[in-house]
Amino acid sequence: LRFGNPLASDGEIKQALGQARVLEDIIALPRGLHTVIGGKSGVRLTSSLELRLSMVRAYLQEASVLLIDEQPNSILNDEAGKFLHDTILRQRGTQTIFVVTYREDFLEMANTIIFLRRGLPTQIGPAELMLERLRHMQW
């Protein structure tokens, strides 16, 4: 987690872990916050926990641009997903956020939607207009 923000305090890391709903999982690891993950000597995590930790890294970084690439419904349908949704709303106007998604609840937060699909022309427009177009599209 410190690769994303080497200056993050243990308290900031714990707060971000709590926000992503993984604090208890991390504390339960062999060395808690100091557990090495992956590599030859590291601990292996479930894919769900890996995804949640990627959210934690995003919460810890103070980047002007954030890219969230298609999180699975298993993550987005629980409290961690609600927190991600709320974080995006809170960061509007202070951070540029690109979200790759098909979920309408996340599309509705957008200022601009870029529609990309193989074999179809790219469409770009204000969220309200694009959502209306997408709802009437024949798939």
Side-chain angles (χ1 to χ4, degrees), residues 55-91:
M55 291 169 57
V56 172
R57 283 193 298 274
Y59 300 153
L60 288 172
Q61 290 183 344
E62 294 181 13
S64 59
V65 177
L66 175 62
L67 172 62
I68 302 168
D69 189 10
E70 222 173 342
Q71 295 289 318
N73 280 331
S74 60
I75 300 289
L76 298 178
N77 286 337
D78 65 11
E79 286 185 44
K82 182 179 177 347
F83 181 79
L84 177 61
H85 188 275
D86 294 345
T87 298
I88 292 170
L89 287 176
R90 201 171 40 252
Q91 293 302 106

Side-chain angles (χ1 to χ4, degrees), residues 89-108:
L89 287 176
R90 201 171 40 252
Q91 293 302 106
R92 285 183 72 163
T94 63
Q95 188 175 38
T96 300
I97 303 173
F98 292 93
V99 180
V100 178
T101 188
Y102 58 89
R103 288 179 53 115
E104 194 166 333
D105 57 335
F106 280 80
L107 290 171
E108 288 172 345

Side-chain angles (χ1 to χ4, degrees), residues 28-39:
L29 292 173
R31 296 192 60 226
L33 286 177
H34 304 285
T35 301
V36 176
I37 298 170

Side-chain angles (χ1 to χ4, degrees), residues 24-57:
E24 291 178 13
D25 296 309
I26 298 304
I27 289 174
L29 292 173
R31 296 192 60 226
L33 286 177
H34 304 285
T35 301
V36 176
I37 298 170
K40 293 180 182 178
S41 61
V43 171
R44 296 270 176 224
L45 303 176
T46 65
S47 59
S48 175
L49 186 53
E50 286 176 354
L51 285 167
R52 290 172 191 269
L53 287 178
S54 69
M55 291 169 57
V56 172
R57 283 193 298 274

